[in-house]
């Protein structure tokens, strides 16, 4: 504590007792005198020294200091001429009085009073000089501190709240820190304390607001129905919702601001009708393009461009630096609702989930649901008891009731609505010619525990040629874009020729012509059917795959019949249009799933290719074969014993080259646990694509029938899943009876007998007295040492002890399936008429999956009501309608010419 000394030269004479004479003292002994400062000043809690000066004709024998009044002082040296006075802490400026007394040798005294002025310490003045700061910047906060009655001795900064930052210069007047990234405006709270030279401090607490950096986006678009004039448009992205209003034509421009670090730009856009409560259209936008400025006429420009060409839309979007035009329509709304349903009725909030569930949608249900929404929006009201469009689409009972009412009023209403949607350029997603060139693969949704199989490969070349490749046939075509549709004109189609009983209407045959034929005993006509082309519309542009409507046109005619006498029966024929809707996956860009060189060594079952000359087998083209991969880039096939070299390129494509110059290229499409599926493309020695197919790429783990009990317990059998991987055969985890299409398999008994299971009556089935065709089975070994179960399905007509219809099974993998034990097998089937004939192939080697079912499974579990099937022609399999009762689009329409 600081100490101040005061010495005074002011004398004070004090006379006691009637000027000495009256006191009876020695008149020669003078009274002492004492002098001190009349006043001194000191700060609270500080010390000051006060000195008294005394004189006497003899000597001063003692000093005594005491406090007369005021706040209590602390005195040190109170019996000496110099006293150290310490002031107490006071609430305000105060005054105390000290008195000093001196005594001489004659015991005479003198006194003097000193006023002590105690000053209250003034705290430092403190102010902060800063404003808000930007995230991810460097910030400095400056403190301005002064002390009116002293000096500042120290600074101390402390963070009180907000994201923790590292303070630099925390004990100086200016503190610095790196501002963290934030996803919204965020407050940091700091305190700064300054100390003065009296060890007293002032503290200031204040907040610093971190301003979020956002990226602006603009969604321009149109709501396509009249009911949405002036509708409210809202967009939700990264947890924030933004809104605007559409104009009288349904056009809108929606501004959004998203944190600049946000990677999830998955956006849900909703249009709420201003005139019809509950009528809402939706659109999911997987990604956004940053936008700086959009000119007022951009919406109209984009719409006009969209009507003219898809490529112009992209060019305009790039020029405006904005996300391409967003169309909210019946199609986008149906797509949204079915995505929600596929996600367990939980809203989608990120691209990963979207990618996982978009392939679970039934394309046929999608377009039919869109037709119903289109009809609904024109009725200007929702059905009674329906609160919104999404709940209508996702409630099968309500959906089917509403659909039945629509069709009862107009049987063609749904087909007409689909035609309107497909032809509306504001509804369908335009196909951009500039980006169309490349390779694609079709996809059918799989039940969740299976992988999709049997996809077709589509190729569009820059010279407007292309082809569709399947495991069974190929179509080459010339393509062009016209009125939003992709026109395919087949160039290598061959007619299908067959005889059929003549009937009115068939190929345009009239009743009069039929009568002439019958009178001439011409009951049969030779029919020629030639598939001439197809049209494709992109209904929904997804992220990993798009939904297309596919209409294939077949010309049906019959060979003119000459009845003689110049009478020739002929017609112009008829044109048949078969329609279907399906997924198309774009594989132009690098696929997210890739083969790796490190995973390949070992045995794999893959789709393979060999012709008769190289395979030595009685089948050709594409089949399933075990490949043994070595670690040095070479390998051998098991079935055909061919050598090959292999590699994995930078795009993750597995390439297999046979010594015959046949090349196989595998692109991995899906992954499920340790199983994957892949598209195989087969090229000849000249680099020409021969065929393509999609199937499992299964790495083998050494599983063998020698270690697996394939004999069924009593009352069980193995049901084939060759088609049942398809989600259309399932109601969640229940296999649909589907009119008996699902029921086929084999029962293995302990005594090497069994049954081929397929005979039944009724729905659900009542099994006939014998569960199927009786068979026998044996175990053999393949050349590789694998155990083969060989089934004798039918004896030869000339030797009942010899097998004339056999099926071989090699076990590849086992696991728990959906309804029972599951086994993956490589199977093949052969037949001959007599024991002396050569076997011919019925089923080339393929992968099949079987699950063990109870014989009573169909009676106890499968719903009889879910049995209506419609043909999905371009895939060559049957497809079940599970929840929504479909009547369109997969129906055949004939037009007379």
């Amino acid at each position: 504590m600081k100490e101040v000394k005061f010495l005074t030269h002011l004398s004070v004479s004090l006379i006691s007792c009637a000027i000495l004479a009256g006191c009876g003292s020695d008149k020669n002994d003078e009274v002492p005198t004492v002098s001190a400062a009349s006043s001194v000043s000191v700060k609270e809690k500080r010390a000051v020294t006060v000195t008294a000066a005394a004189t006497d004709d003899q000597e001063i024998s003692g000093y005594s200091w005491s406090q007369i009044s005021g706040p209590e002082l602390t005195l040190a040296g109170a019996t000496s001429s110099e006293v150290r006075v310490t002031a107490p802490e006071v609430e305000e400026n105060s005054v105390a009085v000290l008195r000093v007394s001196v005594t001489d040798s004659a015991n005479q005294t003198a006194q003097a009073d000193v006023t002590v002025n105690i000053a209250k310490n003034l705290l430092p003045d403190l102010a902060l000089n800063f404003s808000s700061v930007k995230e991810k910047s460097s910030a400095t906060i400056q403190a301005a501190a002064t002390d009116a009655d002293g000096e500042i001795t120290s600074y101390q900064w402390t963070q009180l709240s907000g994201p923790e930052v590292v303070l630099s210069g925390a004990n100086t007047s200016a503190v610095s820190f790196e501002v963290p990234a934030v996803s919204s405006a965020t407050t940091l709270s700091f305190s700064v304390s300054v100390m003065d030279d009296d060890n007293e401090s002032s503290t200031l607490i204040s907040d610093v607001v971190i301003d979020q950096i956002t990226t602006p986006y603009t969604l321009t678009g149109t709501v396509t129905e009249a009911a949405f004039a002036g509708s409210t448009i809202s967009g939700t992205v990264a947890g924030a919702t933004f809104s605007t209003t559409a104009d009288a034509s349904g056009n809108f421009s929606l501004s959004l601001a998203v944190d600049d670090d946000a990677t999830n730009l998955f956006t849900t856009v909703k249009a709420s009708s201003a005139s019809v409560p509950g009528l809402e259209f939706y659109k999911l936008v997987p990604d956004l393009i940053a936008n700086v400025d959009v000119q007022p006429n951009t919406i109209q420009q984009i719409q006009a461009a969209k009507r003219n060409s898809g490529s112009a839309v992209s060019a305009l979007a790039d020029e405006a630096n904005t996300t391409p035009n967003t169309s909210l329509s019946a199609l986008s709304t149906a797509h949204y609702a079915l995505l929600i349903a596929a996600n367990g009725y939980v809203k989608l909030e990120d691209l990963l989930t979207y990618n996982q569930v978009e392939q679970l949608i039934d394309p046929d249900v999608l377009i039919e649901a869109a037709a119903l929404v289109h009809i609904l929006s024109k009725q200007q009201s929702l059905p009674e008891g329906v609160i919104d469009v999404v709940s209508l689409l996702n409630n099968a009972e309500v959906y089917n009731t509403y659909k039945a009412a629509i069709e009862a009023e107009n049987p063609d209403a749904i087909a007409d609505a689909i035609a309107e949607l497909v032809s509306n350029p504001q509804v369908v997603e335009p196909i951009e010619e500039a980006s169309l060139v490349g390779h694609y693969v079709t996809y059918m949704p799989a039940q969740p525990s299976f992988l999709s199989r049997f996809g077709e490969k589509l190729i569009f070349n820059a010279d407007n040629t292309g082809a569709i490749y399947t495991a069974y046939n190929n179509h080459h075509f010339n393509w062009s874009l016209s009125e939003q549709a992709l026109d395919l004109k087949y160039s290598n189609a061959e007619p299908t020729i067959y005889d059929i009983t003549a009937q009115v209407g068939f190929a345009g045959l009239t009743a009069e012509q039929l009568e002439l034929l019958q009178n001439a005993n011409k009951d049969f006509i030779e029919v020629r059917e030639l598939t001439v082309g197809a049209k494709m519309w992109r209904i929904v542009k997804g992220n990993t795959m798009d939904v297309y409507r596919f209409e294939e046109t077949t010309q049906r005619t019959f060979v003119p019949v000459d009845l003689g006498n110049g009478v020739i029966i002929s017609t112009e024929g008829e044109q048949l249009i078969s329609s279907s809707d399906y997924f198309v996956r774009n594989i132009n860009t690098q696929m997210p799933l890739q083969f790796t060189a490190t995973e390949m060594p070992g045995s794999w079952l893959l789709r393979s290719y060999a012709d008769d000359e190289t395979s030595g087998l009685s089948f050709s083209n594409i089949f399933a074969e075990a490949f043994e991969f070595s670690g040095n880039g070479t390998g051998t096939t098991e079935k055909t014993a061919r050598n090959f070299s292999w590699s994995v390129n930078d795009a993750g494509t597995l390439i297999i080259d046979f010594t015959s110059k046949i090349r196989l290229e595998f692109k991995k499409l899906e992954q499920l646990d340790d199983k994957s599926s892949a598209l195989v493309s087969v090229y000849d020695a000249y680099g020409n694509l021969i065929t393509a197919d999609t199937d499992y790429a299964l790495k083998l783990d050494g599983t063998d029938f020698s270690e697996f009990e394939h004999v069924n317990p009593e009352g069980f059998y193995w049901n084939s899943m060759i088609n049942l991987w398809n989600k259309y055969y399932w109601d969640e985890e229940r296999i649909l009876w589907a009119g008996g299409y699902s029921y086929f398999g084999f029962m293995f008994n302990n005594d090497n007998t069994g049954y081929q299971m397929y005979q039944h009556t009724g729905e659900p089935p009542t099994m006939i007295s014998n569960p199927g065709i009786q068979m026998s089975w044996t175990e053999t070994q393949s050349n590789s040492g694998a155990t083969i179960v060989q089934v004798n399905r039918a004896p030869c007509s000339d030797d009942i002890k010899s097998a004339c219809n056999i099926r071989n099974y090699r076990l590849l993998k086992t696991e728990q399936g959906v309804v029972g034990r599951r086994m993956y097998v490589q199977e093949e089937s052969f037949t001959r008429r007599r024991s002396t004939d050569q076997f011919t192939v019925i089923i080339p080697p393929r992968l099949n999956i079987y699950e063990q079912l109870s014989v009573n499974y169909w009676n106890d579990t499968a719903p009889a009501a879910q049995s209506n099937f419609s043909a999905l022609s371009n895939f060559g399999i049957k497809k079940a309608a599970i929840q929504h009762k479909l009547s369109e689009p997969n129906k055949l329409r004939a037009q007379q010419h």
Side-chain angles (χ1 to χ4, degrees):
M1 186 154 321
K2 289 189 176 181
E3 182 177 296
V4 182
K5 293 187 178 182
F6 291 88
L7 182 61
T8 181
H9 299 283
L10 177 63
S11 298
V12 179
S13 298
L14 300 175
I15 305 173
S16 60
C17 298
I19 312 179
L20 299 177
C23 293
S25 61
D26 189 346
K27 63 180 180 180
N28 295 322
D29 188 8
E30 296 181 0
V31 176
T33 63
V34 63
S35 61
S38 61
S39 65
V40 296
S41 296
V42 65
K43 280 186 181 179
E44 61 177 337
K45 298 189 293 183
R46 288 197 182 186
V48 64
T49 299
V50 182
T51 302
T55 61
D56 189 62
D57 57 347
Q58 298 297 320
E59 67 178 37
I60 300 300
S61 61
Y63 290 81
S64 176
W65 295 84
S66 62
Q67 182 175 349
I68 302 303
S69 63
E72 184 177 355
L73 305 171
T74 300
L75 305 180
T79 58
S80 65
S81 62
E82 187 176 81
V83 65
R84 185 170 177 270
V85 180
T86 301
E89 182 177 4
V90 293
E91 295 295 327
E92 58 186 2
N93 292 342
S94 304
V95 176
V97 177
L98 286 179
R99 176 168 292 171
V100 59
S101 297
V102 296
T103 304
D104 63 8
S105 57
N107 205 27
Q108 297 180 102
T109 63
Q111 296 176 335
D113 288 346
V114 179
T115 299
V116 180
N117 295 307
I118 306 171
K120 174 67 177 176
N121 182 49
L122 298 177
L123 296 179
D125 289 324
L126 180 59
L128 296 180
N129 180 23
F130 65 92
S131 59
S132 61
V133 295
K134 288 287 186 182
E135 63 170 321
K136 295 178 289 188
S137 65
S138 297
T140 298
I141 304 175
Q142 179 71 51
T146 59
D147 189 30
D149 59 353
E151 59 184 21
I152 303 298
T153 60
S154 69
Y155 293 82
Q156 184 60 53
W157 294 85
T158 304
Q159 182 182 354
L160 301 178
S161 64
E164 185 177 355
V165 297
V166 177
L167 300 179
S168 177
N171 57 357
T172 66
S173 62
V175 67
S176 300
F177 57 91
E178 295 299 317
V179 184
V182 295
S183 58
S184 62
T186 303
T187 299
L188 298 178
S189 183
F190 295 96
S191 73
V192 58
S193 296
V194 294
M195 187 79 71
D196 64 12
D197 52 1
D198 286 295
N199 288 332
E200 289 195 328
S201 63
S202 292
T203 300
L204 185 61
I205 297 176
S206 190
D207 294 336
V208 178
V209 177
I210 302 176
D211 291 333
Q212 175 194 17
I213 300 174
T214 60
T215 301
Y217 300 91
T218 298
L219 282 176
T220 59
T222 306
V223 197
T224 59
E225 302 288 353
F228 289 92
S231 60
T232 298
I233 309 296
S234 60
T236 302
V237 58
T241 299
F242 308 85
S243 62
T244 188
T245 302
D247 64 18
S249 299
N251 301 323
F252 65 87
S253 179
L254 177 64
S255 298
L256 309 95
V258 184
D259 184 78
D260 68 325
D261 289 327
T263 56
N264 181 13
L265 299 179
F266 190 81
T267 307
T268 301
V269 187
K270 178 177 73 173
S272 302
S273 171
S275 58
V276 183
L279 182 59
E280 297 170 342
F281 274 7
Y282 288 86
K283 173 77 172 183
L284 294 175
V285 179
D287 205 353
L288 299 173
I289 299 174
N291 175 60
V292 177
D293 185 27
V294 180
Q295 298 301 319
N297 63 346
T298 297
I299 299 175
Q300 288 75 18
Q301 287 179 320
I302 291 179
Q303 290 169 340
K306 188 175 183 182
R307 287 190 291 271
N308 296 325
S309 76
S311 58
V313 175
S314 297
L316 266 178
D318 291 341
E319 181 178 347
N321 195 26
T322 183
T323 303
N325 193 53
T326 301
S327 174
L328 276 75
S329 65
L331 270 168
S332 69
T333 303
H335 189 229
Y336 172 85
L338 296 178
L339 284 168
I340 298 298
N343 196 39
Y345 303 97
V346 177
K347 291 182 179 180
L348 279 74
E349 296 182 347
D350 59 81
L351 186 57
L352 176 61
T353 306
Y354 178 85
N355 291 343
Q356 291 171 341
V357 302
E358 71 172 334
Q359 62 192 29
L360 301 179
I361 294 176
D362 182 338
D364 285 338
V365 172
L366 168 62
I367 194 160
E368 183 174 277
L372 288 184
V373 175
H374 181 59
I375 295 169
L376 178 66
S377 66
K378 293 181 180 300
Q379 295 178 336
Q380 294 289 302
S381 64
L382 299 183
E384 184 177 353
V386 176
I387 61 173
D388 57 47
V389 175
V390 173
S391 62
L392 167 67
L393 298 184
N394 286 338
N395 185 314
E397 182 178 356
V398 175
Y399 176 98
N400 292 329
T401 299
Y402 178 65
K403 180 192 166 189
I406 294 297
E407 291 183 319
E409 184 176 341
N410 179 6
D412 294 326
I414 293 177
D416 292 343
I418 290 176
E420 285 183 29
L421 290 173
V422 170
S423 62
N424 188 342
Q426 290 184 324
V427 173
V428 297
E429 300 278 3
I431 303 171
E432 299 85 6
E433 184 169 351
S435 62
L436 177 63
V437 174
H439 292 196
Y440 301 81
V441 60
T442 59
Y443 170 88
M444 292 193 69
Q447 200 275 350
S449 68
F450 294 90
L451 294 170
S452 182
R453 307 177 70 182
F454 313 141
E456 302 170 349
K457 185 172 185 177
L458 287 80
I459 296 179
F460 294 92
N461 299 316
D463 62 358
N464 290 88
T465 63
I468 301 175
Y469 292 91
T470 76
Y472 309 103
N473 55 58
N474 305 325
H475 281 311
H476 293 270
F477 55 75
N478 295 302
W479 64 268
S480 61
L481 275 174
S482 174
E483 298 179 352
Q484 304 299 314
L486 188 60
D487 288 317
L488 312 182
K489 303 298 184 185
Y490 294 154
S491 57
N492 71 326
E494 295 184 0
T496 301
I497 302 173
Y498 57 92
D499 292 335
I500 192 171
T501 302
Q503 51 188 302
V504 174
F506 195 86
L509 191 69
T510 65
E512 294 78 7
Q513 290 174 321
L514 176 61
E515 184 177 1
L516 290 173
L517 288 170
Q518 291 175 337
N519 291 338
N521 295 320
K522 303 287 187 180
D523 295 329
F524 292 91
I525 55 177
E526 182 181 329
V527 177
R528 298 169 63 88
E529 288 188 0
L530 179 66
T531 302
V532 296
K535 275 192 172 183
M536 296 175 64
W537 292 267
R538 184 164 64 185
I539 303 303
V540 173
K541 187 177 187 302
N543 191 57
T544 61
M545 55 186 68
D546 303 335
V547 177
Y548 275 81
R549 159 145 283 220
F550 185 93
E551 285 193 352
E552 195 167 55
T553 301
T554 299
Q555 192 70 32
R556 176 189 286 169
T557 59
F558 65 84
V559 176
V561 180
D562 189 350
L563 299 182
N565 299 321
V567 178
I568 298 177
I569 305 297
S570 65
T571 68
E572 293 184 1
E574 62 183 343
Q575 191 177 81
L576 308 176
I577 300 177
S578 59
S579 59
S580 54
D581 308 296
Y582 57 92
F583 287 112
V584 174
R585 189 197 309 261
N586 188 329
I587 55 174
N588 295 340
T589 57
Q590 185 165 309
M591 299 297 292
L593 293 175
Q594 299 183 8
F595 286 99
T596 63
T598 56
E599 73 175 314
M600 294 314 303
S603 295
W604 291 73
L605 189 79
L606 301 172
R607 294 297 268 173
S608 186
Y609 181 91
D611 56 31
D612 286 339
E613 294 179 2
T614 59
S615 69
L617 303 176
S618 58
F619 58 83
S620 62
N621 296 330
I622 201 162
F623 59 99
E625 184 170 25
F627 287 70
E628 184 67 32
F629 292 83
S630 68
N632 62 2
T634 63
T636 306
T637 61
E638 181 178 297
K639 188 74 177 178
T640 56
R642 291 174 293 164
N643 296 324
F644 62 86
S645 60
W646 66 271
S647 62
V648 177
N649 65 19
D650 292 340
T653 301
L654 171 64
I655 300 171
I656 294 176
D657 287 302
F658 290 111
T659 54
S660 64
K661 305 303 182 182
I662 294 291
R663 166 174 283 200
L664 310 180
E665 293 187 359
F666 294 86
K667 281 186 175 291
K668 189 179 289 190
L669 302 178
E670 292 183 283
Q671 188 79 37
L672 178 62
D673 300 326
D674 59 345
K675 301 172 289 294
S676 60
S677 68
L679 168 70
V680 59
S681 301
V682 182
Y683 297 87
D684 65 17
Y686 304 99
N688 300 312
L689 183 60
I690 302 172
T691 187
D693 196 15
T694 300
D695 208 339
Y696 278 72
L698 193 67
K699 190 168 187 178
L700 309 184
D701 57 9
T703 301
D704 188 76
F705 273 125
S706 61
E707 300 173 353
F708 179 76
E709 183 57 76
H710 69 280
V711 173
N712 299 112
E714 184 176 355
F716 286 84
Y717 75 102
W718 294 103
N719 196 81
S720 172
M721 300 283 172
I722 193 64
N723 292 324
L724 303 192
W725 58 267
N726 192 312
K727 74 179 289 286
Y728 304 120
Y729 285 86
W730 295 79
D731 180 6
E732 295 184 353
E733 294 187 350
R734 178 173 56 182
I735 309 174
L736 300 176
W737 171 245
Y741 282 106
S742 301
Y743 173 51
F744 182 85
F746 299 91
M747 177 187 290
F748 293 95
N749 297 327
N750 265 320
D751 59 358
N752 291 88
T753 64
Y755 293 93
Q756 177 178 305
M757 311 289 288
Y758 77 97
Q759 293 180 332
H760 62 88
T761 59
E763 294 189 21
T766 299
M767 303 303 175
I768 61 177
S769 56
N770 291 323
I773 296 177
Q774 191 166 7
M775 65 181 197
S776 62
W777 61 270
T778 59
E779 287 188 1
T780 62
Q781 280 193 328
S782 69
N783 293 334
S784 65
T787 302
I788 304 297
V789 173
Q790 186 175 90
V791 176
N792 176 10
R793 299 173 64 189
C796 296
S797 59
D798 61 339
D799 183 1
I800 61 173
K801 295 183 179 181
S802 298
C804 271
N805 189 316
I806 64 173
R807 185 174 292 206
N808 293 334
Y809 298 96
R810 176 193 173 182
L811 187 62
L812 306 172
K813 182 180 179 61
T814 63
E815 63 185 13
Q816 180 60 35
V818 181
V819 294
R821 289 192 303 160
R822 177 184 293 181
M823 62 177 181
Y824 296 79
V825 298
Q826 180 187 22
E827 69 177 3
E828 56 188 342
S829 185
F830 306 90
T831 189
R832 59 185 178 181
R833 293 179 57 198
R834 297 171 300 184
S835 61
T836 56
D837 294 335
Q838 294 294 317
F839 278 106
T840 59
V841 175
I842 300 175
I843 300 175
R846 69 181 182 185
L847 170 71
N848 198 357
I849 303 169
Y850 289 84
E851 289 198 16
Q852 185 170 258
L853 272 65
S854 165
V855 173
N856 292 321
Y857 177 84
W858 304 107
N859 296 314
D860 299 339
T861 308
Q866 304 296 345
S867 60
N868 53 315
F869 260 49
S870 56
L872 189 60
S873 59
N874 60 308
F875 287 99
I877 67 170
K878 299 293 183 179
K879 182 171 115 174
I882 299 175
Q883 292 184 335
H884 303 77
K885 295 179 180 177
L886 294 177
S887 61
E888 221 285 336
N890 291 323
K891 64 182 183 182
L892 201 63
R893 306 195 302 277
Q895 300 173 347
Q896 300 295 328
H897 294 277

